[in-house]
Amino acid sequence: MPTTVGLRGCVRMQNTLVRESENDRVLEGERELVAEILAGNHERYYELIAPIERRVYYTAYAILRTEADAEEVSQEALLKGFRGLRTFRGEARFSSWLLSIVANEARMRLRQRREVSLELLKSPDNEDEYTPIELAEWREIAVEALAQKELAAQLEEALEALPEIYREVLILRDIDGLTIAETSAALEISVPAVKTRLLRARLMARDYFVSRSWVRHLGFGKAQP
């Protein structure tokens, strides 16, 4: 047993080192690309944003829920990202930085359109309690599972069913991959509020899948009749 545990520990460590190495390589490539753009090679900005254009639109749509507004906000965010490229420090991935801009732009549009009370969104104390279905185990939905075609429609429906304040935090943190701190900054709420909303959002999404018998696709166990 100790040998097995030790072997597993070595594998995990190796995987972590590989991920860190890959992340460092990506960051270095992005910094070099940004430097070229700032030096005057503006055409390369499209090369920088091309891999995440769909995520930019989807993030905007997840918050605004209308295609026209999402398209407009996406374009505004991309333009704002270009104009503010000198403020990109390169300490985190460009995608995280740009998606934070997208979230900010979308939320500003939402406030204008719906006159949403900012204080209501900022205060965790004003949020309703949520009691999740009790299961033996909760595992987050894997990124690989989200990519499967048979789950695409169900995922969209599950996100649609979430209240807005939970949907946006789930999109930014679990799908777009922003850190807790980046999500907090993008949504202009505290770190504890992000963690609270994220937990509730994950539980709500899980229960939505369970209640519709999609649990067998996600590995949660057998659905209740």
Side-chain angles (χ1 to χ4, degrees), residues 10-209:
C10 289
V11 171
R12 285 196 296 269
M13 182 179 296
Q14 183 179 21
N15 290 337
T16 299
L17 292 174
V18 169
R19 286 194 298 269
E20 290 178 351
S21 176
E22 174 65 17
N23 188 58
D24 290 343
R25 186 187 64 80
V26 171
L27 288 174
E28 182 60 29
E30 288 182 344
R31 284 192 288 264
E32 292 176 358
L33 194 53
V34 168
E36 286 191 39
I37 296 169
L38 294 177
N41 193 355
H42 296 165
E43 292 77 10
R44 299 207 68 184
Y45 184 63
Y46 180 75
E47 183 179 338
L48 187 63
I49 65 175
I52 58 171
E53 272 193 300
R54 293 185 65 183
R55 290 172 64 191
V56 166
Y57 171 81
Y58 189 73
T59 298
Y61 180 78
I63 297 174
L64 297 167
R65 311 311 292 176
T66 64
E67 294 182 2
D69 281 347
E71 183 65 33
E72 190 172 336
V73 164
S74 295
Q75 295 303 316
E76 290 174 358
L78 291 174
L79 182 58
K80 191 170 184 177
F82 176 74
R83 291 173 174 170
L85 200 56
R86 290 189 182 279
T87 65
F88 175 63
R89 299 179 180 179
E91 298 171 355
R93 289 199 177 193
F94 175 78
S95 59
S96 297
W97 180 78
L98 184 60
L99 290 171
S100 293
I101 294 177
V102 175
N104 278 325
E105 292 295 308
R107 286 172 63 81
M108 285 192 292
R109 175 65 60 89
L110 196 61
R111 294 188 193 114
Q112 295 170 359
R113 191 180 71 192
R114 299 181 180 177
E115 298 182 352
V116 176
S117 170
L118 183 58
E119 289 305 312
L120 179 62
L121 295 181
K122 282 187 175 181
S123 176
D125 296 334
N126 291 333
E127 297 169 18
D128 294 333
E129 291 295 329
Y130 177 70
T131 304
I133 299 173
E134 291 190 13
L135 295 180
E137 179 183 4
W138 158 240
R139 293 183 294 176
E140 296 176 26
I141 301 171
V143 174
E144 292 79 9
L146 298 181
Q148 295 176 8
K149 291 183 179 180
E150 64 268 22
L151 289 177
Q154 291 94 325
L155 174 61
E156 178 63 27
E157 290 180 18
L159 291 173
E160 181 69 30
L162 290 176
E164 181 181 298
I165 61 173
Y166 299 123
R167 181 175 61 243
E168 60 189 13
V169 75
L170 187 67
I171 290 288
L172 293 178
R173 179 68 182 96
D174 283 356
I175 296 181
D176 287 338
L178 271 64
T179 65
I180 292 292
E182 290 167 345
T183 303
S184 169
L187 298 179
E188 299 179 350
I189 59 177
S190 66
V191 167
V194 170
K195 293 180 178 179
T196 297
R197 294 183 185 183
L198 183 60
L199 175 59
R200 291 176 181 172
R202 287 170 174 170
L203 291 171
M204 288 177 179
R206 180 205 67 176
D207 291 353
Y208 188 87
F209 279 105

